[in-house]
């Protein structure tokens, strides 16, 4: 049973527009959420995180929103750039436990 | 500074052979994690080392899989009697502190692509 779900395997966005990547989770004990970006043949790279005590965290072009009642989080990238094209993984943890990852969403930013 | 390194980058082996995958974490990081990513799947947690505590082996898929971490630094993941379903990218990550704590952001190595023929 997947505890972290990324229901869109892929997403295409035009350069300059907003990219919205979504993630749903089932475990109400999750209290820390992260987004990782992965380029081909490289390991995932940490992008941004959010604690369950917040509903928004912003870092430059990247903003993560958390809706605890809906068990949903999203990553907004604006404006999107071709270099943002990668696979994005949502991850979550509950207390002192390792991260649980979603299957990823492949983002393609078209110039 | 140096990131997490893994070796080999690629490994092709025959079914039934044993393989060893190596991970060098970032110096000073107390926590080390192994994951694997099969084709079309997300990252599957395998094992987690934190300081001198007993490792969390809850993600190991079978007793053919084992891992050790020597001297609190380098880790080796061993797969005995490899099967074709073991083919995946094996990723190692390290963090400054243990999971669930501030500063526990995990930094990943480039992975080892294992192909079992």
């Amino acid at each position: 049973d997947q505890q972290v779900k990324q229901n869109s395997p892929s997403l295409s966005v035009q350069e300059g527009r907003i990219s919205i990547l979504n993630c749903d989770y089932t475990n109400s004990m999750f209290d820390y959420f992260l987004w990782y970006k992965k380029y081909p043949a490289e390991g995932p790279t940490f992008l941004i995180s959010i604690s369950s005590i917040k509903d928004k965290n912003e870092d430059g072009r990247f903003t993560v929103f958390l809706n605890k009642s809906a068990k949903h989080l999203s990553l907004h990238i604006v404006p999107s750039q071709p270099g943002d094209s990668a696979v994005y993984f949502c991850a979550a943890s509950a207390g002192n436990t390792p991260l649980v990852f979603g299957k990823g969403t492949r983002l393609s930013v078209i110039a | 500074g140096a990131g997490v390194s893994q070796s080999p980058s690629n490994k092709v082996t025959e079914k039934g052979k044993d393989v060893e995958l190596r991970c060098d974490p970032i110096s000073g990081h107390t926590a080390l994690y192994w994951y694997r990513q099969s084709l079309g799947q997300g990252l599957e947690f395998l094992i987690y080392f934190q300081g001198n505590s007993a490792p969390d082996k809850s993600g190991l898929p079978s007793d053919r899989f084992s891992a050790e971490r020597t001297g609190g630094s380098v880790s080796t993941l061993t797969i005995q009697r490899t099967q074709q379903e073991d083919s995946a990218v094996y990723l190692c990550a390290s963090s400054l502190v243990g999971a669930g704590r501030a500063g526990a952001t995990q930094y990943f190595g480039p992975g080892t692509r294992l192909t079992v023929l």
Side-chain angles (χ1 to χ4, degrees):
Chain A
D1 180 34
Q2 267 195 287
Q3 296 187 68
V4 177
K5 299 178 185 179
Q6 294 178 255
N7 292 319
S8 298
S10 64
L11 175 69
S12 284
V13 173
Q14 278 214 300
E15 181 180 6
R17 298 289 183 99
I18 185 171
S19 295
I20 300 176
L21 296 103
N22 293 304
C23 178
D24 297 290
Y25 61 94
T26 57
N27 187 343
S28 58
M29 298 301 291
F30 285 147
D31 58 4
Y32 191 59
F33 305 87
L34 306 90
W35 284 93
Y36 280 82
K37 178 168 78 171
K38 185 180 186 300
Y39 293 119
E42 295 183 11
T45 304
F46 170 73
L47 196 56
I48 193 168
S49 64
I50 188 166
S51 161
S52 60
I53 62 173
K54 293 186 172 183
D55 55 18
K56 177 182 174 182
N57 188 25
E58 193 171 351
D59 183 3
R61 297 185 298 114
F62 302 90
T63 303
V64 56
F65 294 92
L66 175 63
N67 182 334
K68 288 192 293 292
S69 61
K71 295 192 180 68
H72 177 84
L73 68 157
S74 60
L75 174 68
H76 292 210
I77 307 173
V78 55
S80 301
Q81 299 173 353
D84 296 329
S85 297
V87 177
Y88 289 78
F89 290 97
C90 170
S93 71
N96 190 29
T97 61
L99 296 175
V100 178
F101 284 84
K103 291 188 177 184
T105 296
R106 181 178 301 278
L107 173 67
S108 299
V109 180
I110 304 160
Chain B
V4 177
S5 61
Q6 292 185 246
S7 61
S9 54
N10 279 286
K11 176 72 177 178
V12 180
T13 190
E14 292 181 346
K15 178 181 171 182
K17 296 281 181 70
D18 297 352
V19 295
E20 282 190 355
L21 312 179
R22 178 186 168 107
C23 172
D24 283 88
I26 293 172
S27 177
H29 278 195
T30 65
L32 186 147
Y33 314 76
W34 282 98
Y35 297 87
R36 73 175 175 182
Q37 185 180 16
S38 303
L39 192 63
Q41 300 298 312
L43 279 71
E44 175 190 4
F45 164 72
L46 297 176
I47 188 168
Y48 159 48
F49 296 89
Q50 168 52 38
N52 295 321
S53 303
D56 176 352
K57 304 179 181 179
S58 60
L60 294 178
S62 78
D63 59 8
R64 296 186 295 105
F65 288 72
S66 63
E68 61 178 25
R69 188 179 185 194
T70 53
S73 181
V74 171
S75 177
T76 302
L77 176 70
T78 301
I79 309 173
Q80 295 178 308
R81 305 180 303 281
T82 52
Q83 304 294 312
Q84 287 182 333
E85 61 262 28
D86 299 335
S87 296
V89 176
Y90 288 80
L91 290 155
C92 174
S94 70
S95 63
L96 186 60
V97 297
R101 297 169 59 190
T105 299
Q106 295 179 27
Y107 297 87
F108 283 82
T112 294
R113 181 175 296 279
L114 174 66
T115 303
V116 181
L117 301 176

